[in-house]
Amino acid sequence: MKQLQGKVCLVTGGTRGIGRAIALSMAEAGADIAFNYERSSEKAEEICHEVTALGVRCRAFAVNVTSVEEVNRMVQEVNDSLGPISIVINNAGITRDRTFLKMTKEQWDEVMHVNLDGVFNVTHAALPFMINLGWGRIINISSFVGLTGNFGQTNYAVTKGGINSFTMALARETARKGITVNSVAPGFIATDMTKEVPPSVLDQVRAMTPVGRLGNPEEVADAVAFLASPRAGYITGQVLSVNGGIYM
Ligand code: NAD
């Protein structure tokens, strides 16, 4: 029997990059998958095909994680169609990079809303189902930026540092309910998000990364799959870096 057979996993931002790789690796481990998408229903259908080809069920939802109503509706519909969610992967995230004085309040707020309110909304909606089951896994995708800061990313750094603190605090509340809460903090991973980074900066990143390259989404997804598995039951409140040893 596969490690996550019979479990229902919700991945936010599952249509591309790290979220897509997580959806596929959780499906490989036997979990039924629900994910949300923002824009392309075609892309969502494509991912659902890839997921169901692995022998599990899949549902995709056009949901913005900043909307409490949309998130609550999605979580209820997942429960009705696939069963109670026992694994949440808070992956959806955005950047709006500017040096601090050039950053507008809108750019600050937008990143807070998606990266922090999104985590609140999804976790708040799904946690009662895990408490009922007496088993759960919450895995939050933060970033090395939440641990070190980064030039031009004060807004993003606040959210990723906040996600790490949220992880440590919620882990204490849920530990005796059979629910672990952990963060995975990726370094530079080759996705649409890093496509926006100028090539000269990526050269510097490779030079600063002991492994000498960017990571790939599957390497992050492997760490998530381990933390979601029954083998990781004694790991909670942790931030696991998947960053090629990068130091800044
Ligand atoms: P990406 O831009 O390819 O994917 C982000 C996903 O989030 C997309 O599926 C998008 O639709 C979804 N999303 C964005 N706003 C949303 C909203 N309001 N509602 C619902 N969904 C929304 O980025 P990625 O590189 O795959 O990043 C995934 C996560 O990993 C993010 O949280 C990001 O901060 C984090 N991360 C990425 C890197 C990297 O180098 N790529 C490094 C560290 C951390």
Side-chain angles (χ1 to χ4, degrees), residues 12-19 36-39 63-66 90-95 114-115 141-144 156 160 185-194:
T12 64
T15 49
R16 60 177 202 244
I18 294 170
N36 79 294
Y37 61 94
E38 261 184 311
R39 283 171 234 156
V63 160
N64 188 322
V65 292
T66 63
N90 282 307
N91 166 76
I94 59 167
T95 52
V114 176
N115 296 9
I141 307 303
S142 64
S143 169
F144 75 97
Y156 185 74
K160 295 304 185 176
F188 282 87
I189 308 297
T191 67
D192 287 350
M193 190 174 267
T194 38

